[in-house]
Amino acid sequence: MESSRKFFPAIVVLLLLVVVATEVAQAQTRECETESKKFDGVCMSSDNCASVCQAEGFPGGGECQGFRRRCMCKQPC
């Protein structure tokens, strides 16, 4: 019982470090967006948009965005 109390703060600190390291790694990977050149019409399905974007060579796929519902393709910056 006493030994588990000694290790509890160390375990908490270790978990916090893992969470912070994960968040920093995610923050460093930025995505750039470009409007699709081949998608025609109003974008209503992000799945269709992603398929068109992948066919255009965007590895991040795509999604419908904005008031005008445009297909925006994603790629790492």
Side-chain angles (χ1 to χ4, degrees):
M1 181 76 171
E2 188 65 32
S3 63
S4 64
R5 281 191 176 164
K6 290 180 183 179
F7 289 113
F8 183 72
I11 292 171
V12 170
V13 169
L14 184 64
L15 288 174
L16 286 174
L17 286 173
V18 168
V19 169
V20 168
T22 305
E23 292 297 322
V24 169
Q26 289 176 351
Q28 290 176 350
T29 55
R30 293 181 41 213
E31 285 189 333
C32 291
E33 295 179 343
T34 306
E35 188 174 355
S36 172
K37 303 295 182 204
K38 296 184 179 180
F39 193 91
D40 190 30
V42 178
C43 185
M44 299 303 262
S45 170
S46 289
D47 291 336
N48 289 342
C49 175
S51 296
V52 171
C53 288
Q54 287 178 345
E56 288 183 42
F58 290 94
E63 64 181 29
C64 303
Q65 290 183 354
F67 178 73
R68 293 175 54 196
R69 303 303 296 169
R70 296 185 196 165
C71 177
M72 301 299 289
C73 299
K74 297 180 179 183
Q75 67 181 359
C77 293

